[in-house]
């Protein structure tokens, strides 16, 4: 699902494009076949399970989020290289935060954490961070929230999510139909699977809508549809849905889409009962299912940062280094140990 980037590679992407993700590698090689919109409606996975792990880039005020992101990328890249034969590791670089009501909307919207909403600086900072992380060889993942932002950063993104609050949105389904990367649709906040299934169907088809072109001008956007889509099970309504019976139900629901590996598991949110320490438990159960033959599982998602837990942001109060100010995250030690365990489990055969 996610292109493995080698060297200072990029993934081409434009809303006006034909939904084809192309790996361009300085070394001329890539660890994973690029995902291409060839009409087959299936994504290519050549290695084990995919693990998406990374930072929300939310710790620290001002430009500190970027500094933490670079630090996370450096240590994550070391593990990605070590486990390249077992895992494809992609860093979460989430710059926009959907809110249930109100709150900090993320680094792009308010990079200084002071309510000034200096979006121009935030957009420039986000792109700078993505460039540096891509240049290190680490592919990036994000959530598509604002419908305009992708034209400024999508060429540096290898995988995107449509969140639980926006999966039912026609605007985001249209957006997903045109971006040149695989897209995962999360089930609804109350646990509804059908909204994600409907979103997958919608994003497969061409759409026409008003947006902006590569020059930033208002334009009529025509998309070709995106063949590389999948569901992200994240739990909902206070209940989990990572267990085998829920995965089987999701697999059956999207069987008609013709996608070989159509399910990712979000180990956080309701699947962990919003307890970051339970992410490992969820990940181990998902990997067990995969090893026992549930090949529709193409990967899992972890919420990770340099230091564990989360902290509350208050203006004028110094923030702790590398600790999330949004969702609680695994710390780096826990993340490294879990990735090691997952890689080892993929290598060994089930009893």
């Amino acid at each position: 699902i996610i292109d493995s980037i080698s060297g200072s590679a990029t993934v081409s992407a434009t809303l006006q494009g034909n939904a084809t993700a192309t790996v361009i590698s300085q070394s001329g090689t890539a660890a994973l076949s690029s995902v291409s919109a060839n009409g087959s409606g299936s994504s290519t996975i050549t290695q084990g399970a995919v693990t998406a792990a990374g930072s929300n880039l939310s710790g620290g005020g001002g430009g500190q989020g970027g500094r933490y992101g670079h630090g996370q990328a450096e240590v994550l890249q070391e593990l990605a290289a070590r486990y390249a034969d077992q895992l494809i590791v992609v860093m979460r670089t989430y710059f926009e935060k959907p809110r249930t009501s109100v709150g900090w909307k993320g680094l792009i919207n308010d990079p200084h954490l002071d309510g000034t909403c200096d979006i121009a600086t935030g957009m420039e900072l986000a792109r700078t961070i993505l460039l540096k992380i891509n240049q290190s060889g680490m592919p990036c993942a994000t959530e598509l929230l604002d419908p305009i932002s992708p034209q400024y950063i999508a060429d540096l993104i290898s995988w995107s999510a449509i969140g639980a609050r926006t999966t039912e949105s026609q605007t985001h389904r249209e957006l997903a139909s045109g971006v040149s990367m695989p897209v995962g649709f999360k089930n609804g906040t109350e646990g509804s699977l059908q909204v994600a299934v409907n979103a997958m169907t919608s994003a497969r088809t061409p759409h026409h809508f008003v947006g902006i072109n590569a020059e930033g001008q208002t334009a009529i956007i025509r998309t070709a549809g995106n063949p590389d889509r999948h569901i992200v099970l994240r739990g909902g309504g206070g209940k989990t849905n990572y267990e085998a019976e829920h995965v089987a139900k999701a697999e059956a629901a999207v069987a008609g889409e013709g996608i070989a590996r159509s399910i990712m598991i979000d180990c956080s949110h309701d699947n962990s009962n919003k307890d970051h320490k339970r992410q490992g438990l969820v990940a181990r159960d998902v990997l067990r299912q995969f090893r026992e033959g549930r090949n529709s599982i193409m990967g899992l998602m972890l919420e990770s940062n340099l230091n564990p837990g989360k902290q509350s942001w208050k203006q004028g109060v110094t923030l702790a280094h590398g600790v999330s100010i949004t969702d609680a995250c695994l710390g780096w030690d826990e993340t490294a140990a879990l990735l090691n365990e997952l890689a080892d489990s993929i290598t060994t055969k089930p009893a």
Side-chain angles (χ1 to χ4, degrees), residues 117-151:
C117 297
D118 184 1
I119 296 175
T121 296
M123 190 70 74
E124 183 177 356
L125 179 58
R127 186 164 180 84
T128 299
I129 292 169
L130 288 170
L131 280 167
K132 290 185 177 181
I133 294 175
N134 274 264
Q135 287 167 356
S136 75
M138 173 61 63
C140 296
T142 197
E143 177 178 342
L144 299 176
L145 186 58
D146 183 279
I148 301 298
S149 297
Q151 284 288 31

Side-chain angles (χ1 to χ4, degrees), residues 18-93:
N18 60 357
T20 300
T22 305
V23 171
I24 306 168
S25 175
Q26 291 284 340
S27 66
T29 60
L32 175 66
S33 300
S34 63
V35 179
S36 179
N38 56 12
S40 65
S42 62
S43 302
T44 302
I45 297 288
T46 60
Q47 298 169 300
V50 178
T51 298
S55 165
N56 286 344
L57 294 178
S58 58
Q64 294 183 27
R67 177 163 56 85
Y68 296 161
H70 301 154
Q72 180 91 350
E74 290 175 0
V75 292
L76 195 58
Q77 173 61 21
E78 292 179 8
L79 289 187
R82 184 184 308 170
Y83 304 132
D85 291 337
Q86 295 84 34
L87 302 172
I88 300 172
V89 182
V90 181
M91 182 170 173
R92 284 166 46 98
T93 50

Side-chain angles (χ1 to χ4, degrees), residues 5-298:
I5 297 178
S6 175
S8 55
T10 60
V11 178
S12 64
T14 172
L15 281 173
Q16 305 95 295
N18 60 357
T20 300
T22 305
V23 171
I24 306 168
S25 175
Q26 291 284 340
S27 66
T29 60
L32 175 66
S33 300
S34 63
V35 179
S36 179
N38 56 12
S40 65
S42 62
S43 302
T44 302
I45 297 288
T46 60
Q47 298 169 300
V50 178
T51 298
S55 165
N56 286 344
L57 294 178
S58 58
Q64 294 183 27
R67 177 163 56 85
Y68 296 161
H70 301 154
Q72 180 91 350
E74 290 175 0
V75 292
L76 195 58
Q77 173 61 21
E78 292 179 8
L79 289 187
R82 184 184 308 170
Y83 304 132
D85 291 337
Q86 295 84 34
L87 302 172
I88 300 172
V89 182
V90 181
M91 182 170 173
R92 284 166 46 98
T93 50
Y94 280 33
F95 300 107
E96 299 176 298
K97 175 68 178 173
R99 311 304 310 202
T100 301
S101 55
V102 295
W104 185 63
K105 296 180 182 179
L107 184 140
I108 287 179
N109 185 269
D110 189 11
H112 307 301
L113 286 171
D114 59 2
T116 58
C117 297
D118 184 1
I119 296 175
T121 296
M123 190 70 74
E124 183 177 356
L125 179 58
R127 186 164 180 84
T128 299
I129 292 169
L130 288 170
L131 280 167
K132 290 185 177 181
I133 294 175
N134 274 264
Q135 287 167 356
S136 75
M138 173 61 63
C140 296
T142 197
E143 177 178 342
L144 299 176
L145 186 58
D146 183 279
I148 301 298
S149 297
Q151 284 288 31
Y152 296 91
I153 62 173
D155 58 318
L156 298 170
I157 299 295
S158 294
W159 177 88
S160 289
I162 301 295
R165 296 170 181 83
T166 49
T167 286
E168 202 165 3
S169 159
Q170 176 172 294
T171 297
H172 291 84
R173 294 175 178 184
E174 292 171 343
L175 175 62
S177 77
V179 294
S180 302
M181 67 197 72
V183 175
F185 292 93
K186 291 195 174 186
N187 62 256
T189 55
E190 296 304 314
S192 170
L193 177 64
Q194 191 59 46
V195 294
V197 175
N198 292 344
M200 286 183 63
T201 302
S202 176
R204 169 169 44 86
T205 60
H207 286 277
H208 299 74
F209 55 92
V210 177
I212 65 168
N213 61 21
E215 287 72 43
Q217 300 170 322
T218 301
I220 303 299
I221 307 299
R222 300 175 177 86
T223 71
N226 190 341
D228 297 303
R229 300 144 291 121
H230 63 88
I231 281 177
V232 181
L233 298 179
R234 47 89 75 195
K239 299 179 181 179
T240 61
N241 63 1
Y242 66 86
E243 298 88 351
E245 61 268 28
H246 295 290
V247 175
K249 180 180 178 181
E251 181 180 327
V254 298
E257 292 295 319
I259 299 174
R261 301 181 68 182
S262 55
I263 301 168
M264 175 183 282
I265 311 296
D266 179 351
C267 298
S268 186
H269 299 99
D270 283 89
N271 274 337
S272 65
N273 295 319
K274 300 184 179 179
D275 178 358
H276 64 283
K277 298 177 183 178
R278 292 178 55 85
Q279 290 190 67
L281 180 152
V282 178
R284 294 181 188 97
D285 187 86
V286 172
L287 188 57
R288 176 189 59 78
Q289 295 179 51
F290 178 77
R291 283 160 50 85
E292 292 177 354
R294 185 65 69 181
N295 293 325
S296 59
I297 298 175
M298 43 68 60

